[in-house]
Amino acid sequence: MRALLSVSLFALVGPLLPAQGPAGAKVDFLTEVVPIFKARCFECHGPKEQEGGLRLDTKAGLFVADEKARTVRPGQAAKSPLVQRIELPKDDPDVMPAEGGPLTKAQIAVIRRWIDQGAVWPDGADKAIAALIAGSAAGKAKPSESALPTLPMPAGAQKEAEQRAFAAIRKAGGVALRVAADTGACEVNLSLVGDKLTPEVLGQLEALAATLVRLDLSRTKAGDDALQVVGKLGQLRWLNLARTAVTDRGLSAVANLKHLGYLNLYGTGVTDVGLQQVRGLAALRKLYVWGSKVTESGAAALRKACPKLRVDRGESAVALASVVVAPKTGPINTQCAVSPTKSVAAGKEVVYEGQRIGFCCDKCKAAFLHNPGKFLPGLRGFLHAKGSVAANKSCPVSGKPVAGSATEAPFRSPFRGKVIGFCCAKCKAAFDKEPERFLPKLTDVFGAPASPAKPGKPVKPGKPVKPGKTKKVL
Ligand code: HEC
């Protein structure tokens, strides 16, 4: 009778008691912990960014080889740095998440219990998380861009060849990834390899012909010969050749890519003649030719021939955002974006609006992330993706008219709270190096130069960029 009573009492009361400590109900990592990480952490500690060197979406990322550096100590929630960070008061500069307010008590309790119970990371969780992240990214992307093919997962010899190619690409400094856990489709980004790209590395792409759907060769020294390899990648959907040595001659190889939906030829030597080659690409929806030799009439002719194709000669900020990417060698600034008297320290950087920005320490980095709009106007070299109407009509370096339309900014430098426009990237670079030299040409903006200019002086925000607007990537 007593046994019966206690059993029924437990049945009644058990589930109502809050689970506490390791003895509480077993936490299910994938359905209880991962949703918290996904909602509040992966944005900065996931596939795109690993702030503070921490990655929370993979087992290897959390349980790094150096045990002392681990932020989670299985069985010891209270001693885990991760728990200490999420339990800091909400006004502490070190509290995590770094944006959007602290976790709720219930969320913290789940993470604590998971760690006290041994911080189990089940087999296959990495894959499930990758799919979750890819799924939500795809959900937010425009339909045309999210329609990635479900290609068969490579097996056997093909898989081995692929793994070898991935390894060689990564060794060269490139990125090679599967786009989602449930498809064989993969992507490669070699733009960071820059002018160190060799024919051997390019040749590795051939092993990926059956699965490669996205390829970024921008700012590498890839030329027409490289396109011979690219032409064999019949599954490509997205191809970025911005600022490469590609010309009309090489483009004929691209004409075979029947799935290609996006092609970026920004800053290449391609002309109206070369554009003829893409007319046969039935799947092509976006073509960026800004800064190439394509003329307005050439673009208009192509638009007429291919009504579904958007030919962009620089009208779009999207084109800009995709090509004004972080320079391969480091941040755009040498002095900390928050404390301009200090130099940028190695590895203390964030990528914001596609541009790599450096800091002297993690505190400054966190301060920037908290309110980028406060610091961007003083950051020379930063290009606003949109809304940057140049204050000047003619290029202060060459005297030619400022390039681009009124509202979008192909070549702009924020300087002393004003947005200065240029006719080309060369002039912008010359200005950024030594702006004072060109001040006499900017009397319409700043008036006659009375006293010597103070470079790098923080200026009043012109049009602050709202924090968080462009950072949310998942
Ligand atoms: C908006 C970006 C952002 C978000 C969101 C964010 N963090 Fe961070 N996190 C940072 C930055 C920046 C650093 C490095 C500077 C520092 O240590 O404060 C960092 C550092 C950390 C560190 C210290 C590094 C280490 O290895 O111990 C931990 C732990 C951490 N974050 C945990 C989390 C957790 C858990 C979440 C989600 C609940 C989270 N963060 C969400 C930006 C973020």
Side-chain angles (χ1 to χ4, degrees), residues 36-37 40-41 44-45 51-52 54 56 71 81-104 107-108 111 362 365-366 369:
I36 303 172
F37 284 176
R40 302 302 312 276
C41 317
C44 302
H45 301 288
E51 296 290 4
L54 176 63
L56 288 172
T71 188
L82 184 143
V83 171
Q84 291 161 359
R85 296 287 290 249
I86 59 180
E87 289 185 339
L88 286 169
K90 70 169 186 287
D91 49 1
D92 190 298
D94 289 336
V95 67
M96 286 294 137
E99 266 175 20
L103 298 182
T104 65
Q107 289 171 327
I108 294 174
I111 293 173
D362 283 331
K365 190 165 117 178
L369 285 173

Side-chain angles (χ1 to χ4, degrees), residues 356-398:
R356 198 175 290 280
I357 299 171
F359 305 90
C360 62
C361 64
D362 283 331
K363 276 239 161 70
C364 284
K365 190 165 117 178
F368 175 85
L369 285 173
H370 187 67
N371 186 4
K374 190 170 156 199
F375 305 104
L376 288 178
L379 186 58
R380 195 187 297 157
F382 183 84
L383 285 177
H384 292 274
K386 48 179 146 219
S388 309
V389 182
N392 54 321
K393 293 265 178 305
S394 47
C395 174
V397 180
S398 72

Side-chain angles (χ1 to χ4, degrees), residues 188-209:
V188 165
N189 184 345
L190 286 167
S191 74
L192 296 174
V193 182
D195 51 15
K196 297 207 175 66
L197 184 64
T198 61
E200 289 70 42
V201 174
L202 260 175
Q204 298 293 334
L205 297 175
E206 284 192 44
L208 307 175

Side-chain angles (χ1 to χ4, degrees), residues 77-432:
K79 286 196 179 153
S80 297
L82 184 143
V83 171
Q84 291 161 359
R85 296 287 290 249
I86 59 180
E87 289 185 339
L88 286 169
K90 70 169 186 287
D91 49 1
D92 190 298
D94 289 336
V95 67
M96 286 294 137
E99 266 175 20
L103 298 182
T104 65
K105 286 211 169 86
Q107 289 171 327
I108 294 174
V110 167
I111 293 173
R112 267 183 160 268
R113 272 166 49 222
W114 170 66
I115 296 174
D116 279 334
Q117 290 169 1
V120 177
W121 193 288
D123 288 345
D126 280 22
K127 262 188 162 183
I129 295 170
L132 210 66
I133 293 174
S136 71
K140 279 177 199 162
K142 289 189 200 96
S144 61
E145 282 161 19
S146 65
L148 283 174
T150 330
L151 298 175
M153 202 61 88
Q158 194 201 340
K159 186 174 173 194
E160 277 166 30
E162 179 188 74
Q163 294 308 317
R164 272 197 304 275
F166 276 13
I169 289 164
R170 288 175 188 148
K171 196 167 163 224
V175 177
L177 300 167
R178 204 157 294 302
V179 296
D182 53 356
T183 166
C186 62
E187 65 179 297
V188 165
N189 184 345
L190 286 167
S191 74
L192 296 174
V193 182
D195 51 15
K196 297 207 175 66
L197 184 64
T198 61
E200 289 70 42
V201 174
L202 260 175
Q204 298 293 334
L205 297 175
E206 284 192 44
L208 307 175
T211 50
L212 191 61
V213 298
R214 286 173 68 97
L215 175 62
D216 191 343
L217 290 174
S218 61
R219 292 170 302 119
T220 64
K221 61 175 184 188
D224 292 336
D225 293 342
L227 286 189
Q228 296 305 314
V229 178
V230 173
K232 295 178 190 163
L233 307 171
Q235 289 295 341
L236 275 185
R237 267 65 178 172
W238 190 99
L239 176 60
N240 191 348
L241 298 171
R243 287 185 172 168
T244 57
V246 163
T247 71
D248 291 348
R249 191 169 62 83
L251 268 192
S252 58
V254 170
N256 305 328
L257 302 175
K258 63 177 193 287
H259 295 297
L260 199 65
Y262 171 107
L263 177 60
N264 194 330
L265 296 171
Y266 161 83
T268 60
V270 171
T271 73
D272 294 350
V273 177
L275 274 202
Q276 309 283 341
Q277 307 278 4
V278 308
R279 285 194 183 201
L281 291 173
L284 197 63
R285 292 294 173 271
K286 283 184 201 153
L287 175 68
Y288 293 111
V289 291
W290 189 76
S292 71
K293 295 187 175 138
V294 171
T295 66
E296 184 47 51
S297 65
L302 184 62
R303 283 186 195 111
K304 215 168 151 205
C306 311
K308 284 191 197 155
L309 174 61
R310 224 179 81 213
V311 185
D312 196 314
R313 283 186 74 244
E315 299 87 348
S316 159
V318 181
L320 180 75
S322 67
V323 293
V324 186
V325 280
K328 57 183 184 291
T329 45
I332 57 171
N333 51 325
T334 52
Q335 299 304 112
C336 175
V338 173
S339 312
T341 54
K342 296 191 187 140
S343 335
V344 164
K348 309 274 180 228
E349 22 187 79
V350 296
V351 174
Y352 188 82
E353 287 195 6
Q355 295 155 80
R356 198 175 290 280
I357 299 171
F359 305 90
C360 62
C361 64
D362 283 331
K363 276 239 161 70
C364 284
K365 190 165 117 178
F368 175 85
L369 285 173
H370 187 67
N371 186 4
K374 190 170 156 199
F375 305 104
L376 288 178
L379 186 58
R380 195 187 297 157
F382 183 84
L383 285 177
H384 292 274
K386 48 179 146 219
S388 309
V389 182
N392 54 321
K393 293 265 178 305
S394 47
C395 174
V397 180
S398 72
K400 291 183 196 159
V402 165
S405 68
T407 51
E408 309 298 356
F411 300 127
R412 301 284 191 266
S413 272
F415 180 68
R416 297 202 194 165
K418 299 279 190 203
V419 176
I420 309 300
F422 305 89
C423 65
C424 67
K426 250 201 182 134
C427 286
K428 179 179 140 24
F431 179 87
D432 285 342

